[in-house]
């Protein structure tokens, strides 16, 4: 599935220029990598000491663990709105 972000990428690069556009792309890649590492670290910590059947296995459960019940609900709503 190709999203609007992918379709608008060439226009954004043409407006930002090669150098600044490349800097933004690299900066975004670094941020995405960092946030993925944070998600994995939190999941590992959250599952520490849990039984195999009680482990956190998806994004909704992880957000509910970190943010509480309503944080999990808000995460599901946000994901549904953006999909």
């Amino acid at each position: 599935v190709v999203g609007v972000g992918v379709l608008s990428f060439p226009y954004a690069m043409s407006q930002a220029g090669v150098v600044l556009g490349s800097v933004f792309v690299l900066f975004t890649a670094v941020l995405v990598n960092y946030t993925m590492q944070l998600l994995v670290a939190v999941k590992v910590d959250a599952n520490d000491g849990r039984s195999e059947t009680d482990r956190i296995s998806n994004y909704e459960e992880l957000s509910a663990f970190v943010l509480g019940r309503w944080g999990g609900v808000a995460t599901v709503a946000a994901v549904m709105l953006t999909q």
Side-chain angles (χ1 to χ4, degrees):
V1 176
V2 177
V4 175
V6 172
L7 296 174
S8 64
F9 184 74
Y11 177 75
M13 285 294 287
S14 72
Q15 295 299 305
V18 174
V19 174
L20 188 59
S22 297
V23 168
F24 283 144
V25 169
L26 182 62
F27 179 70
T28 302
V30 168
L31 284 179
V32 167
N33 185 27
Y34 176 68
T35 56
M36 290 305 297
Q37 289 178 6
L38 285 176
L39 282 170
V40 169
V42 168
K43 184 176 185 252
V44 167
D45 286 347
N47 283 331
D48 191 30
R50 289 179 181 245
S51 67
E52 193 67 34
T53 58
D54 192 34
R55 290 185 178 252
I56 292 173
S57 61
N58 59 47
Y59 194 63
E60 176 188 357
E61 291 174 357
L62 185 61
S63 63
F65 175 78
V66 174
L67 303 171
R69 180 175 181 260
W70 289 108
V73 171
T75 299
V76 169
V79 168
M80 287 175 55
L81 289 173
T82 59
Q83 296 297 318

